[in-house]
Amino acid sequence: MKKILIVILIGLAGMANADVWTQLNNGPRHINIGCSFTIGNKGYIGGGRDTLVNLTKSFWEYDPSIDAWTQKADIPGVSRLCPAGFSIGNMGYVGLGNDSTSFTLLNDFWQYDNVSNTWLQKANFPGQYPWQTTSFSLGNYGFVCTGTGYSGNGNGTDLWEYDPISDTWSQKTSFPGMPRSSASSFTIGDNVYVGGGRSLATSTCFNDFWRYNLNTLSWIQIAVFTGIPTALAASFSIGDKGYYGIGEDSLFYNHNEFWQYDTTLNQWNQKMSFSGLTRSAAIFFSVGTKGYIGMGSSGNYPDYIDFWEYDPNGNAGIESIPPNILTIAISPNPFQDKSLLTIQGCTTNATLNIYNIEGKVVYRMTGISGINKQLTITDEQLSNGIYFYQLMDANETLATGKIVRE
């Protein structure tokens, strides 16, 4: 079993020093824009595509105790992109999406029994936005929120609740933010947190997040996400914390930032960046005290097949940094006069771009080559404000993050 353990201490205020990403056995196939959820102590993934034209109905179970994948019964119906998926109790649910070939949006909905490894068709989804949704479960109910609709409908803000006892759908209070597709969500207790995603009309990605409570059936806006706004990101919860990261920005660049949402402080804290290559449309779920991210889209085909475990409470210190994986440390951050940016790893003719919050490049350094390079950012290059950096090699994004000048 191949494992890479990476830990780094970074001087950004509010960042923890105990994050651990561990590379596990590869996923079962190249998959992006599929669905994923957890039943008990196992993760399940399915649908999506592994090439530009090859959609799949395959469905897989991951057992973290032995780091192994087992193929299960295929998802019924046609193969689909961006299916919705969630679990309620010991049952999984998959449906909706887009068949891609004829661009037909789908509303069929299926229940998966992991004991008998069988599927049973349930009530069709009645909403108008069945593609590029975000889906989740709260209590004894499943939910489908936002998404892309039928011809001429664009993006939506609908929230639909599924009751597995009565096998019925009911519309609830709509998501209060702007209409969007490919949003993210994570659940903690009786609350779900929904945000991110992009506008189909403008391709702009959003940084707002909202909390929906199962008991009050109402939405409240929480702290604005302070990282790079993305769509097709990964999200999950561990304990009383939410986690959100990677994804594709408004210019369709992939990123590897990773963030934690603290429900007590209503605060976003940047964590150690995802240690695989930058990507979007990945598979993700959490089991117990660990999160999992893997596969996904590189923007080229074939897509990724690697699979990673995230431990928010791992051993601190630098255990190992393979030479083909880059990490960036910035200290101090925030800064006033100058800050030292350290690139740990090997670069060849890389370019560092620094963007303001409007997405405009305000500083660029080219020809960065060598091992463990150190660059100085000064107050002459950046005025007061929040900035985002992107380290690129040719057309590939190697690392991203945030710089604050006070």
Side-chain angles (χ1 to χ4, degrees):
M1 177 174 65
K2 178 184 179 183
K3 289 199 174 186
I4 300 176
L5 182 64
I6 308 170
V7 186
I8 183 169
L9 308 177
I10 301 182
L12 180 60
M15 294 187 70
N17 62 2
D19 302 56
V20 176
W21 287 100
T22 304
Q23 187 168 4
L24 305 172
N25 285 325
N26 283 343
R29 61 187 301 166
H30 300 273
I31 296 175
N32 74 82
I33 47 181
C35 68
S36 50
F37 52 83
T38 303
I39 300 176
N41 59 0
K42 295 183 175 65
Y44 294 84
I45 69 171
R49 67 184 175 197
D50 57 11
T51 69
L52 184 60
V53 295
N54 185 25
L55 274 64
T56 178
K57 299 194 289 185
S58 66
F59 190 67
W60 299 81
E61 176 189 85
Y62 177 71
D63 186 342
S65 68
I66 57 174
D67 187 20
W69 295 91
T70 303
Q71 188 165 11
K72 298 297 182 177
D74 283 357
I75 301 169
V78 301
S79 301
R80 64 195 72 209
L81 292 174
C82 302
F86 51 75
S87 62
I88 304 173
N90 61 354
M91 296 290 182
Y93 296 86
V94 175
L96 291 62
N98 174 1
D99 77 349
S100 183
T101 303
S102 62
F103 206 75
T104 300
L105 301 189
L106 307 170
N107 65 357
D108 56 325
F109 190 64
W110 301 83
Q111 179 191 75
Y112 176 71
D113 185 330
N114 70 332
V115 176
S116 63
N117 188 32
T118 57
W119 294 89
L120 179 65
Q121 188 162 14
K122 310 301 285 186
N124 284 350
F125 175 68
Q128 295 299 305
Y129 303 94
W131 180 40
Q132 297 178 321
T133 64
T134 185
S135 53
F136 49 88
S137 59
L138 276 178
N140 297 318
Y141 303 96
F143 293 85
V144 172
C145 188
T146 65
T148 301
Y150 296 94
S151 178
N153 283 355
N155 293 147
T157 59
D158 290 0
L159 175 68
W160 287 87
E161 177 188 270
Y162 176 72
D163 184 339
I165 303 300
S166 61
D167 187 27
T168 57
W169 293 90
S170 57
Q171 192 166 6
K172 299 299 180 181
T173 305
S174 293
F175 174 73
M178 294 291 291
R180 66 195 65 195
S181 61
S182 304
S184 294
S185 59
F186 52 84
T187 59
I188 300 174
D190 289 333
N191 297 300
V192 64
Y193 301 81
V194 178
R198 72 156 32 95
S199 164
L200 180 66
T202 66
S203 297
T204 300
C205 291
F206 299 102
N207 63 358
D208 58 326
F209 267 78
W210 301 75
R211 183 183 72 222
Y212 177 79
N213 182 265
L214 181 62
N215 301 310
T216 64
L217 307 181
S218 61
W219 294 90
I220 296 175
Q221 188 169 12
I222 65 168
V224 170
F225 176 63
T226 49
I228 299 173
T230 58
L232 296 171
S235 58
F236 50 75
S237 60
I238 300 175
D240 62 352
K241 302 291 193 299
Y243 294 88
Y244 171 68
I246 67 169
E248 183 181 78
D249 67 19
S250 299
L251 300 176
F252 301 97
Y253 287 113
N254 287 339
H255 294 273
N256 64 352
E257 277 192 3
F258 196 66
W259 292 75
Q260 177 199 76
Y261 177 71
D262 188 316
T263 57
T264 302
L265 300 177
N266 185 28
Q267 174 179 292
W268 292 95
N269 300 312
Q270 190 169 8
K271 309 298 288 182
M272 181 186 174
S273 294
F274 173 66
S275 294
L277 295 174
T278 59
R279 69 195 64 199
S280 58
I283 294 298
F284 53 89
F285 52 83
S286 61
V287 177
T289 61
K290 308 289 178 61
Y292 298 87
I293 297 178
M295 293 154 273
S297 173
S298 64
N300 299 299
Y301 293 92
D303 287 314
Y304 296 122
I305 198 170
D306 55 328
F307 189 63
W308 296 76
E309 177 187 83
Y310 175 73
D311 184 353
N313 300 302
N315 297 319
I318 300 178
E319 298 283 339
S320 172
I321 301 180
N324 63 328
I325 293 182
L326 293 173
T327 56
I328 290 184
I330 305 174
S331 181
N333 194 4
F335 78 96
Q336 293 181 346
D337 299 324
K338 63 181 178 179
S339 183
L340 188 65
L341 186 150
T342 302
I343 303 171
Q344 297 176 305
C346 181
T347 56
T348 302
N349 199 29
T351 298
L352 176 71
N353 293 319
I354 298 180
Y355 300 84
N356 62 18
I357 58 174
E358 297 177 349
K360 179 181 178 181
V361 176
V362 296
Y363 179 74
R364 174 174 288 147
M365 180 179 293
T366 61
I368 302 171
S369 300
I371 299 176
N372 298 338
K373 296 289 291 185
Q374 290 189 327
L375 312 174
T376 300
I377 308 298
T378 71
D379 54 2
E380 295 180 355
Q381 295 155 341
L382 302 179
S383 57
N384 290 354
I386 298 173
Y387 299 87
F388 301 100
Y389 67 80
Q390 178 186 42
L391 185 68
M392 299 189 66
D393 183 357
N395 293 320
E396 180 183 0
T397 298
L398 303 176
T400 59
K402 185 173 74 171
I403 303 174
V404 180
R405 197 230 150 163
E406 295 180 333

